[in-house]
Amino acid sequence: MSENEEKKVEKRKKIKITPIKHGTVIDHIRKGQAMKVLKILGLIERDIDFIVSIAMNVDSSEGKKDIVKVEDMELKNEELDKISLVSPEATVNIIRDYEVVDKHRVKLPDVVKGILRCRNQNCISNQDEPVKPEFEVVGKQPVTLKCNYCEREMKGEEISENVI
Ligand code: CTP
Ligand code: ZN
């Protein structure tokens, strides 16, 4: 590749990951999980008035990753930590005036309420009862959840497939 062509490629790569001025960048999301992250954060099917950008399948030092950037919003850790269910390695970067002022990894909660459905069709949380799904986190690697009603366990794909 000529020097000129290399420069063009470099420029294209940079455009894909435009820095933001203010907001939250969720980085190191597992490849293919960006939409689940949006779902977990309640950014789908909601009337939002801030900019959300998504990058999927981006190169990273550990292979491929997804990135979600939410501009002008500093999301709450309580909400962000739920991302650990589908992407335990994700990092949250708070951006102020183009600078990363805080960076931390999402933290696995002890209890998960409401954002997943139980994979057991017969579970009471899947019937027409006013019972919200609730799980206890019983394992970290891999993330393993146990339903508080029927005790059925879920891990890996089962978890991401059951995000409500
Ligand atoms: N970022 C952004 N806007 C900024 C600053 C950073 O969108 N003004 C994004 C970067 O594109 C990156 C993430 O925020 O996806 C973290 O930025 P930074 O800490 O600068 O990157 P790295 O050092 O590569 O982060 P890490 O070590 O966590 O991989
Ligand atoms: Zn259940």
Side-chain angles (χ1 to χ4, degrees):
M1 222 188 302
S2 74
E3 203 179 319
N4 205 10
E5 275 173 311
E6 267 174 35
K7 270 190 188 149
K8 271 190 192 161
V9 169
E10 270 311 301
K11 202 175 167 196
R12 254 184 257 139
K13 277 188 185 163
K14 282 208 182 106
I15 288 169
K16 237 188 288 173
I17 43 170
T18 316
I20 63 169
K21 187 163 193 252
H22 285 292
T24 308
V25 175
I26 306 150
D27 199 357
H28 300 284
I29 298 169
R30 280 191 189 170
K31 170 176 145 55
Q33 297 298 320
M35 296 309 280
K36 299 286 177 191
V37 167
L38 296 182
K39 234 176 163 182
I40 288 171
L41 294 176
L43 297 174
I44 294 180
E45 292 166 17
R46 208 177 103 193
D47 186 18
I48 53 172
D49 55 4
F50 42 89
I51 296 169
V52 177
S53 45
I54 305 153
M56 299 199 276
N57 238 358
V58 177
D59 284 315
S60 92
S61 47
E62 299 98 36
K64 299 278 191 178
K65 65 174 180 182
D66 290 356
I67 306 173
V68 168
K69 300 188 186 194
V70 182
E71 292 184 46
D72 299 318
M73 282 282 288
E74 291 183 13
L75 300 166
K76 289 202 181 75
N77 278 339
E78 195 189 315
E79 294 303 308
L80 292 162
D81 282 343
K82 294 175 184 167
I83 293 167
S84 61
L85 296 170
V86 296
S87 232
E89 306 82 10
T91 59
V92 173
N93 299 270
I94 305 296
I95 316 291
R96 288 189 198 142
D97 213 5
Y98 290 105
E99 296 289 329
V100 178
V101 296
D102 187 33
K103 182 195 290 282
H104 60 268
R105 211 189 245 209
V106 290
K107 191 174 150 280
L108 200 60
D110 298 323
V111 183
V112 177
K113 283 184 195 168
I115 58 165
L116 299 171
R117 75 175 77 78
C118 180
R119 74 185 174 98
N120 172 9
Q121 295 289 316
N122 297 322
C123 178
I124 186 155
S125 65
N126 281 326
Q127 313 308 319
D128 274 336
E129 303 284 343
V131 176
K132 274 203 174 165
E134 212 178 283
F135 305 87
E136 191 188 336
V137 178
V138 292
K140 294 198 165 174
Q141 265 179 339
V143 177
T144 311
L145 305 177
K146 189 166 116 185
C147 175
N148 278 349
Y149 299 102
C150 71
E151 306 204 331
R152 186 72 68 93
E153 291 194 358
M154 305 205 288
K155 61 180 134 193
E157 294 264 290
E158 288 163 357
I159 295 177
S160 47
E161 280 165 8
N162 283 294
V163 173
I164 297 169

